[in-house]
Amino acid sequence: MTPPLPPILLIEDTPSLQLLYRAALTKSGHGVVTAGTAAEGLELMREAAPQVILLDLVLPDRDGLDLMREMLQLNPSLHVVVMTAHGSINKAVEAMRAGAHEFLVKPFDEARLLNVVANAHKTAQTAPPPKPAPVTAVAPAAIPVNPTVPPAPIGSGFIGSSDAMAHIHATIVSVARSMATVFITGESGTGKELCALAVHGNSPRAAGPFIALNCGAIPQDLLESEVFGHMKGSFTGAISDKPGAATAADGGTLFLDEVCEMAPALQTKLLRFLQTSTVVPVGATRPKKVNVRIVCATNRDPMDAVRRGQFREDLFYRLFVVPIHMPPLRERGNDVIEIAETALARFAQEEGKQFDGLAPEVRALFRRLPWPGNVRQLLNVIRNVAVLHEGGLLTADMLPASLPQQAEAAAIPPPVAPSPQVPQDAPLVLDALLGRPLAEVERMVIEATLARHNGSVPKAARVLELSPSTLYRKIEGWAQR
């Protein structure tokens, strides 16, 4: 007989909500202990030894985020689900970065509550015992970085001991144990998928599947089927049922690469998937529940995509919980040498040859190069050398002829662009704006832009580099005043 799970600790200071959440959890078979203050919650945590805690971030006697940090220091294996009102969603995101398992935005329905609690219990049951580590569960910006001490076994594909990479390693270790969505940014070839693999490999889901899907490489009309699956006969060519990537990743991690290329209609369905943890294959009528951790990546500026109306703002804030920026290779110092030497040894072994490392002039050249293709370009260069040469010391004459030219081009400063001409009527425009409150100036600019585009919010949003939803909120706010 399976032993009963430890009770859930519910810390909520509003009596009506406390009663509502407790009733829903009890009806589902969960044991629940409740507290209305931070002090009571801390005492009950020691007495009841819960695995899962539901924590309101606004408490009468203490900040909920500080309480969560203390609880995680006392017991790193806790799975804390934070609860917050819609207006304080930034606080919830901060909590996720500090080690929370998941967050709930009030008001939420009973199904969402029970699903989050079930996932937290499942993760707690399968997670290995926590190991002592020098990194505490705090926000990534506060993680101490020590390049000489690796924070954890990140994975053999992640090479580099620069300060930037040490900070990324520490962030991965801190976030891997939670369900927080990770949003990886960086230029093409910087290793975003390796970063996603490291998050998966250092998490309790490491034994589960890692499913990668490139949203930019799949035709838009097939993307929904690839993500959520389809039923036989649901469209032309659907000759059998097919599980999508979200179902295939059940119990593991779903990596959505180039997520900003996703069609708007699919963005809506992805947002619902994140909120409900259920998938509805194309042609199906019944949803299916899955337990998936989302990691996504893009080589674009996601905020710019939001401003241009190409990416949903609410989906962006749901995904952009723990951002990790992969720096370009040119900003990683001696990492370029470490990566080149490691790759040379590996490719030489594959080709059955013996190389003796990099010559000093090659090391100096590699440090000077801009590496527009980043790590991917470097690996191609080393592969080229390993295939075309017999071995020995890797000298400059073994490199592709284009590399020294790239170094010379990078050394030439780019031409200075001429200053834009200031319109003759600019002083008159400035005179009309000077002395007015900033909010009034903003409204004048927005209303003038809308008038120029015949009241079209999408067109005005593109010109102003804002999302249409932002403009609609501003217009509604003015109407209510």
Side-chain angles (χ1 to χ4, degrees):
M1 184 176 177
T2 305
L5 292 172
I8 295 168
L9 173 55
L10 170 63
I11 307 175
E12 166 63 65
D13 66 317
T14 305
S16 58
L17 292 179
Q18 186 184 107
L19 185 63
L20 181 66
Y21 303 153
R22 178 170 187 166
L25 292 166
T26 304
K27 186 173 66 175
S28 309
H30 295 286
V32 184
V33 291
T34 59
T37 65
E40 291 175 8
L42 202 55
E43 184 178 349
L44 282 173
M45 187 200 82
R46 295 188 177 99
E47 293 176 359
Q51 289 179 336
V52 176
I53 296 177
L54 287 166
L55 172 64
D56 187 8
L57 288 180
V58 180
L59 297 171
D61 58 335
R62 188 175 176 186
D63 180 70
L65 190 56
D66 289 341
L67 174 63
M68 186 196 76
R69 288 191 173 122
E70 181 176 348
M71 287 177 162
L72 288 174
Q73 286 177 350
L74 293 171
N75 183 0
S77 66
L78 283 173
H79 287 61
V80 182
V81 177
V82 298
M83 302 180 293
T84 185
H86 182 75
S88 305
I89 196 167
N90 288 339
K91 192 97 170 180
V93 170
E94 186 181 355
M96 293 292 284
R97 295 176 181 175
H101 174 77
E102 182 58 283
F103 70 89
L104 292 165
V105 179
K106 300 176 181 178
F108 47 83
D109 58 26
E110 182 177 321
R112 171 73 176 148
L113 171 65
L114 297 178
N115 179 66
V116 168
V117 169
N119 283 343
H121 266 312
K122 184 175 180 180
T123 306
Q125 293 298 305
T126 57
K131 298 177 182 179
V135 180
T136 56
V138 296
I143 294 174
V145 175
N146 184 353
T148 62
V149 181
I154 293 295
S156 59
F158 242 4
I159 303 166
S161 56
S162 62
D163 287 355
M165 293 307 295
H167 180 77
I168 288 172
H169 290 183
T171 303
I172 290 171
V173 172
S174 179
V175 74
R177 63 178 292 275
S178 80
M179 276 288 287
T181 303
V182 178
F183 201 120
I184 307 168
T185 57
E187 297 176 8
S188 292
T190 50
K192 296 187 289 295
E193 185 165 350
L194 280 179
C195 181
L197 278 165
V199 172
H200 173 74
N202 285 267
S203 74
R205 298 170 170 264
F210 177 89
I211 305 297
L213 192 68
N214 189 324
C215 300
I218 301 171
Q220 293 289 0
D221 55 342
L222 295 179
L223 193 52
E224 181 179 357
S225 170
E226 292 294 325
V227 177
F228 299 118
H230 64 252
M231 306 300 291
K232 179 180 178 180
S234 56
F235 55 85
T236 303
I239 58 176
S240 62
D241 292 353
K242 177 185 175 181
T247 302
D250 193 13
T253 301
L254 175 60
F255 175 52
L256 298 174
D257 199 7
E258 304 305 340
V259 70
C260 287
E261 307 303 322
M262 189 174 286
L266 190 57
Q267 291 178 30
T268 303
K269 295 184 178 181
L270 178 60
L271 180 62
R272 177 163 179 79
F273 167 60
L274 293 170
Q275 292 170 338
T276 64
S277 297
T278 59
V279 297
V280 181
V282 178
T285 56
R286 293 185 178 180
K288 177 183 178 182
K289 191 168 288 293
V290 293
N291 180 8
V292 173
R293 199 254 184 91
I294 300 290
V295 178
C296 55
T298 183
N299 59 9
R300 296 171 57 185
D301 177 359
M303 282 299 297
D304 182 62
V306 171
R307 284 194 295 268
R308 293 176 181 274
Q310 299 165 348
F311 199 72
R312 288 182 62 115
E313 189 174 22
D314 48 1
L315 177 59
F316 168 75
Y317 285 114
R318 183 74 198 186
L319 293 173
F320 203 75
V321 177
V322 179
I324 298 179
H325 180 70
M326 296 298 297
L329 187 57
R330 60 186 172 272
E331 296 177 5
R332 290 175 53 182
N334 280 331
D335 282 1
V336 64
I337 307 301
E338 292 183 41
I339 296 169
E341 289 179 335
T342 304
L344 182 62
R346 176 162 62 91
F347 294 154
Q349 184 179 21
E350 292 176 4
E351 299 294 331
K353 300 175 182 179
Q354 177 64 48
F355 283 86
D356 302 322
L358 310 180
E361 70 270 17
V362 174
R363 289 169 171 260
L365 174 65
F366 279 8
R367 292 189 188 97
R368 292 200 311 274
L369 282 169
W371 297 111
N374 293 293
V375 177
R376 187 180 295 123
Q377 180 189 4
L378 173 61
L379 295 180
N380 287 343
V381 168
I382 301 300
R383 170 71 80 178
N384 176 282
V385 171
V387 169
L388 297 180
H389 298 85
E390 292 307 312
L393 192 66
L394 196 164
T395 55
D397 59 335
M398 296 181 180
L399 298 171
S402 61
L403 275 188
Q405 296 173 8
Q406 289 181 22
E408 292 172 6
I412 300 173
V416 179
S419 301
Q421 294 295 318
V422 179
Q424 293 183 353
D425 59 348
L428 297 176
V429 174
L430 288 175
D431 285 343
L433 298 179
L434 290 175
R436 297 177 181 271
L438 184 59
E440 187 177 340
V441 172
E442 179 189 58
R443 180 170 180 175
M444 290 171 65
V445 171
I446 290 174
E447 289 179 341
T449 307
L450 284 167
R452 177 170 292 184
H453 293 280
N454 299 317
S456 171
V457 170
K459 289 181 180 179
R462 281 196 294 272
V463 172
L464 296 169
E465 296 189 352
L466 295 172
S467 70
S469 60
T470 299
L471 277 191
Y472 281 121
R473 282 202 304 272
K474 289 182 180 293
I475 294 168
E476 287 172 6
W478 296 333
Q480 293 171 3
R481 290 176 186 172

